[in-house]
Amino acid sequence: MAPRSGQPEPRGPLLPGLLLVAAALSQPAAPCPFQCYCFGSPQLLLRCASGAELRQPPRDVPPDARNLTIVGANLTVLRAAAFADEDADGEEGAAGGVRLPFLTALRLTHNNIEVVEDGAFDGLPSLAALDLSHNPLRALGAGAFRGLRALSSLQLNHALVRGGPALLAALNAALAPLDELRLLGLAGNALSRLPPAALLRPRLEQLDARLNALAGLGPDDLRALERDGGLPAPRLLLADNPLRCGCAARPLLAWLRNATERVPDARRLRCASPRQLQDRPFLDLDEARLRCADRDAEDVELAGPELEASYVFFGLVLALIGLIFLMVLYLNRRGIQRWMRNLREACRDQMEGYHYRYEQDADPRRVPAPAAPAGSRATSPSSGL
């Protein structure tokens, strides 16, 4: 049938395009897992947040998922092959265990995870970003991250506080096989030292060590941060650590001044001790003031609290003496009143005596007659001459 006049003829490419869109829409999409939310499509983002009801990762995540987030659950323990097929034998690289071959980002924050077993992330060969922050980790298997050859970002912020030295040693072993690691977050973990394996990752670009208990970095740590073979040296975030500004901090100060760009927050570094340098900017210090072998400096540093304590003790002694003196005065108040009265009467008697003598001396009747001149005695008619 010929088209009516005034109506444009349909273009040739438009009809095939519409057919392709209809075909795409007619394909059944993979179902979204129970208690999870799918944004865009399951291949893009899945978010599972079901509170305490979810104790294990969901088993029905679509195999073509790229991004999986589980927040606010109660996973507690991530067991081996938690994200692999049920028939996986747990061995590294088992072909049958791969269930999510395209998953690149996995976020497991605020899930009350305390234990991560060996092989917990088996079956995720494409995983590039893993976030376990804000979990009370107590135990970490030495092979927890095995098989994650593509992992480039690992976040463990505020997750290692409760584990102690044993967890730090396990983390050091778990980081050893991650040669592609580029970003590592260890902020807020009260670490007194950094795991050596973290500093030795060959492709590491940034290490976040803020909000820890680091008193400084030793020469071995600084040497581990250097790279050979043209690889870029990693950046290091160190703010909000209680730096000990003694002679042991001289290598760190010299390193920072030669490579300030390696520590973006270098201007925020402050001294926590000794007392005379407390809260001083670390970069503004003179190396001559970083003393610990000088005995006099140590004596001054140690004498501060002792001298303060002696002042407090001396003040307490004086207060006690004053209290005793006031108590003695109160108990002897009558005797003191009698003594004051006697003293007042004695003073009054003395003043009356002075007043009496003054009155006697001022009486005109007691003034002696003036003596007669010598010439008048010779011419007197009664003289008989």
Side-chain angles (χ1 to χ4, degrees), residues 114-182:
E114 297 182 1
V115 179
V116 179
E117 297 182 353
D118 291 339
F121 304 100
D122 286 349
L124 305 176
S126 301
L127 191 64
L130 175 61
D131 193 348
L132 291 170
S133 301
H134 297 280
N135 283 291
L137 290 179
R138 299 179 183 273
L140 180 68
F145 307 130
R146 70 184 184 189
L148 300 181
R149 297 185 179 89
L151 191 66
S152 60
S153 174
L154 177 60
Q155 301 298 324
L156 295 169
N157 303 315
H158 302 278
L160 308 173
V161 178
R162 300 185 181 182
L167 182 59
L168 183 61
L171 175 63
N172 188 65
L175 293 175
L178 302 180
D179 292 336
E180 296 297 325
L181 193 63
R182 299 177 185 271

Side-chain angles (χ1 to χ4, degrees), residues 69-244:
T69 297
I70 302 177
V71 177
N74 191 22
L75 301 183
T76 310
V77 178
L78 282 183
R79 304 193 180 278
F83 297 91
D85 279 343
E86 297 180 356
D87 58 350
D89 56 4
E91 296 180 359
E92 184 178 355
V98 176
R99 182 163 58 92
L100 300 173
F102 304 109
L103 191 70
T104 58
L106 177 60
R107 184 186 177 199
L108 301 174
T109 60
H110 300 280
N111 287 307
N112 198 31
I113 299 174
E114 297 182 1
V115 179
V116 179
E117 297 182 353
D118 291 339
F121 304 100
D122 286 349
L124 305 176
S126 301
L127 191 64
L130 175 61
D131 193 348
L132 291 170
S133 301
H134 297 280
N135 283 291
L137 290 179
R138 299 179 183 273
L140 180 68
F145 307 130
R146 70 184 184 189
L148 300 181
R149 297 185 179 89
L151 191 66
S152 60
S153 174
L154 177 60
Q155 301 298 324
L156 295 169
N157 303 315
H158 302 278
L160 308 173
V161 178
R162 300 185 181 182
L167 182 59
L168 183 61
L171 175 63
N172 188 65
L175 293 175
L178 302 180
D179 292 336
E180 296 297 325
L181 193 63
R182 299 177 185 271
L183 302 177
L184 178 59
L186 297 176
N189 287 313
L191 299 177
S192 59
R193 61 184 181 90
L194 295 176
L199 304 176
L200 294 174
R201 295 307 88 212
R203 299 185 181 277
L204 187 67
E205 296 179 358
Q206 179 170 303
L207 174 58
D208 188 354
R210 294 171 297 172
L211 289 169
N212 280 291
L214 298 175
L217 296 180
D220 294 338
D221 297 331
L222 298 177
R223 281 193 296 268
L225 289 171
E226 302 302 327
R227 295 291 182 267
D228 297 330
L231 293 175
R235 295 186 303 272
L236 188 61
L237 301 178
L238 285 174
D240 302 314
N241 277 285
L243 296 183
R244 165 73 179 177

Side-chain angles (χ1 to χ4, degrees), residues 313-327:
F313 179 74
F314 182 67
L316 292 176
V317 171
L318 288 180
L320 182 60
I321 293 175
L323 183 62
I324 294 175
F325 179 74
L326 293 176
M327 185 177 296

Side-chain angles (χ1 to χ4, degrees), residues 51-68:
E53 298 179 2
L54 189 62
R55 297 184 177 274
Q56 288 295 325
R59 307 297 303 181
D60 52 349
V61 176
D64 53 355
R66 262 67 171 181
N67 193 320
L68 175 60

Side-chain angles (χ1 to χ4, degrees), residues 371-384:
S376 64
R377 184 181 300 176
T379 58
S380 177
S382 61
S383 60

